Structures are given as C-alpha cells and as structure tokens.
Amino acid sequence: MAILQVNFLSDTLKRTVPIQVVLPSDKVLSYGGEKTETKPYKALYLLHGLLGNCTDWVMNTNIQRLAEDHNLAVVMPSGENSFYVDQLLPNNDFGAYIGKELVELTRRMFPLSHKREDTFIAGLSMGGFGAMRNGLKYYDTFGYIAAMSAALQIFE
C-alpha cells in the first residue's frame, strides 16, 4: 500500500495544491501467492468536510484498508472550505478543479481507469455536498456518488 503526498500547480486554481493518494500498488502476497496482472485501478475521489484537509481520511479512518481490500485508488484533495464549487473570487473554481482538472491529472500520473463506471466521488459533510454537486455536474466523469452526512448549501 502506497500513501503519496502530491503537490502540484493547479492550472484552474493558479496555485500549488496538495492531494493525498492511496494506491494498493505494493500489496504483500502470501507465501506462494501469484502476482496478478495490474489493471488500471478504479478510483474514488474522496472529499473532506469543513475545516479539514487532504490528510483527514488517512489520519482518521481505515481508508487504506478499504483501498487494499477493493483494489481501489483513493484521491483526496484539499477543498479549502470552498464547498467544492466555483466561487466569485478569481482562481477559486473548485468545482472545475475537482470535476475536471484533478481527474485528468491523476489519470495521467497514476494507472487509473478512464471509464466512467470505474470513477467514484464521495464526501463527508461539506465534502458530501461537493460530491453530490460535482458528481451530478460532471456526470460524464463520475459513475457513482456517495454523500455522507452531506451539508446542503443553497447558493444564489
């Protein structure tokens, strides 16, 4: 299991942003076990709640075990209390960042499936709202959406 901290210059947000990625790429095989061919991983884009950051899921949950058990890559961005929506302030288009740029970038960086049915988005609280909003807006990218204790925010 690899847990990677990645910092990259976001073209959408115009600043360096952090993400954490869990990859089940180095599974330990039991004695005598055969190594299977590596296929592109299904990917879960997992969004944190208000006042959190990209480390919340790794620090406070068993996300690594879930990733390994299901042979799933998990990508966790920092949402900067944005509700993961495009904002009026310049360089704060978090919806486009999550729904397009992040998915495209991580698919280039890691062996992730490009299939809609293999691409999931989920979140907790503020992240639950972001998952619902971006999962529906970018329906051609995300095949499944999960919102846990989603904070429903109405924007005018």
Side-chain angles (χ1 to χ4, degrees), residues 81-106:
N81 301 333
S82 66
F83 275 81
Y84 303 96
V85 298
D86 298 334
Q87 316 235 331
L88 294 176
L89 296 171
N91 306 320
N92 280 292
D93 292 336
F94 277 88
Y97 165 65
I98 296 296
K100 294 192 71 61
E101 182 182 19
L102 183 62
V103 174
E104 291 169 2
L105 176 89
T106 53

Side-chain angles (χ1 to χ4, degrees), residues 12-139:
T12 304
L13 300 176
K14 306 289 189 251
R15 60 183 169 273
T16 300
V17 294
I19 62 173
Q20 283 209 334
V21 180
V22 175
L23 286 176
S25 59
D26 56 352
K27 282 186 176 182
V28 176
L29 299 174
S30 61
Y31 181 75
E34 293 183 28
K35 192 166 183 144
T36 59
E37 183 179 330
T38 304
K39 297 179 183 176
Y41 295 110
K42 293 180 180 184
L44 169 61
Y45 293 83
L46 191 54
L47 311 179
H48 65 78
L50 193 68
L51 305 179
N53 63 41
C54 65
T55 66
D56 285 2
W57 294 101
V58 171
M59 298 296 292
N60 301 313
T61 71
N62 288 325
I63 195 65
Q64 301 99 307
R65 183 181 305 159
L66 176 83
E68 188 167 355
D69 289 350
H70 296 281
N71 211 35
L72 177 72
V74 183
V75 178
M76 297 156 285
S78 281
E80 299 180 18
N81 301 333
S82 66
F83 275 81
Y84 303 96
V85 298
D86 298 334
Q87 316 235 331
L88 294 176
L89 296 171
N91 306 320
N92 280 292
D93 292 336
F94 277 88
Y97 165 65
I98 296 296
K100 294 192 71 61
E101 182 182 19
L102 183 62
V103 174
E104 291 169 2
L105 176 89
T106 53
R107 284 177 173 170
R108 285 193 312 270
M109 292 178 76
F110 305 108
L112 305 182
S113 173
H114 289 233
K115 295 178 184 175
R116 178 180 179 266
E117 62 268 19
D118 292 342
T119 308
F120 319 115
I121 188 167
L124 172 72
S125 190
M126 175 188 81
F129 173 81
M132 285 191 300
R133 186 260 187 199
N134 291 302
L136 293 171
K137 181 169 182 171
Y138 298 99
Y139 64 89

